[in-house]
Amino acid sequence: RKEVEQDPGPFNVPEGATVAFNCTYSNSASQSFFWYRQDCRKEPKLLMSVYSSGNEDGRFTAQLNRASQYISLLIRDSKLSDSATYLCVVNMNTGFQKLVFGTGTRLLVSP
Amino acid sequence: DAGITQSPRYKITETGRQVTLMCHQTWSHSYMFWYRQDLGHGLRLIYYSAAADITDKGEVPDGYVVSRSKTENFPLTLESATRSQTSVYFCASSESGEMNTEAFFGQGTRLTVV
């Protein structure tokens, strides 16, 4: 079983739609969680951290469910510019900053 | 320009050759990392460094060598390139090793081994 698993997609949605991605992780001791965004042929960039209480940043909402070991990202009112691959990232907390990346979920927003 | 830069951006090399990928950051971040990204895999950690002269293996270190004589530089060397090392390589840095610290990535080096 992969340490971090994501549905690869692609998710094809029209502008204005709401879309949600899920990610599961295997290590119950994991302590910190992130969503990174990666545009085609570019480097990953931090979108948002994910906190136990859930957090929101504009149109983006991230949730963490420790009991079920999954993380979600909700994007409301999708924009064309949201088209990208979204990487679920988990810090396995092994004494150094070990970030484990999912393979990513591709989002395509169409007019 | 400030930030983290990688060179070269693109490289084609032959099997068996030694090749070095460069990474330079201007933030004086303590931690630096090398990842490779391949289809079907997430980014996988090759090596990391907690400070100058301190390096350690990641998930896929075989065939790679790193050094960190200065805080700002973290070169990655493929001692004898193989086709399986064809990949996109990303260097990253973070201010500390604390759990919630953001990692900043370079633009990547696309390496093709023929």
Side-chain angles (χ1 to χ4, degrees), chain A residues 4-25:
Chain A
V4 178
E5 293 203 66
Q6 295 182 251
D7 181 341
F11 284 58
N12 290 285
V13 303
E15 270 187 295
T18 296
V19 61
F21 308 137
N22 288 329
C23 161
T24 58
Y25 61 95

Side-chain angles (χ1 to χ4, degrees), chain A residues 45-100:
Chain A
K45 293 183 179 178
L46 179 66
L47 177 66
M48 58 197 304
S49 300
V50 186
Y51 302 115
S52 296
S53 55
N55 48 300
E56 189 173 308
D57 183 2
R59 298 181 293 108
F60 299 84
T61 300
Q63 295 278 355
L64 169 64
N65 184 319
R66 285 189 183 273
S68 300
Q69 294 180 209
Y70 81 78
I71 308 146
S72 65
L73 177 68
L74 182 76
I75 305 175
R76 291 181 298 276
D77 189 23
S78 298
K79 311 290 184 190
L80 294 176
S81 57
D82 293 333
S83 295
T85 297
Y86 291 84
L87 306 176
C88 175
V89 185
V90 177
N91 190 319
M92 292 292 175
N93 190 30
T94 57
F96 63 92
Q97 190 191 45
K98 183 189 174 186
L99 297 179
V100 180

Side-chain angles (χ1 to χ4, degrees), chain B residues 8 23 35 52 63 110:
Chain B
C23 179
Y35 292 89
R110 293 187 171 271

Side-chain angles (χ1 to χ4, degrees), chain A residues 2 31-32 34 36 38 41-44 46 87 91 93 96-97 99 101-103, chain B residues 33 35 37 40-43 48 90 94 97-103 105-106 110:
Chain A
K2 289 184 178 179
Q31 294 296 317
S32 54
F34 310 89
Y36 275 70
Q38 186 173 25
R41 303 176 76 86
K42 296 288 185 71
E43 72 275 21
L46 179 66
L87 306 176
N91 190 319
N93 190 30
F96 63 92
Q97 190 191 45
L99 297 179
F101 288 77
T103 53
Chain B
F33 310 85
Y35 292 89
Q37 186 174 35
H41 296 276
L43 278 81
Y48 75 100
F90 286 101
S94 68
E98 296 298 317
M99 285 186 299
N100 289 314
T101 306
E102 179 179 356
F105 287 81
R110 293 187 171 271

Side-chain angles (χ1 to χ4, degrees), chain B residues 7-8 11 18-23 34 65 74-78 109:
Chain B
S7 61
K11 177 75 177 178
Q18 183 181 81
V19 60
T20 296
L21 310 183
M22 305 301 293
C23 179
W34 274 107
V65 174
F74 191 39
L76 176 74
T77 298
L78 287 68
T109 295

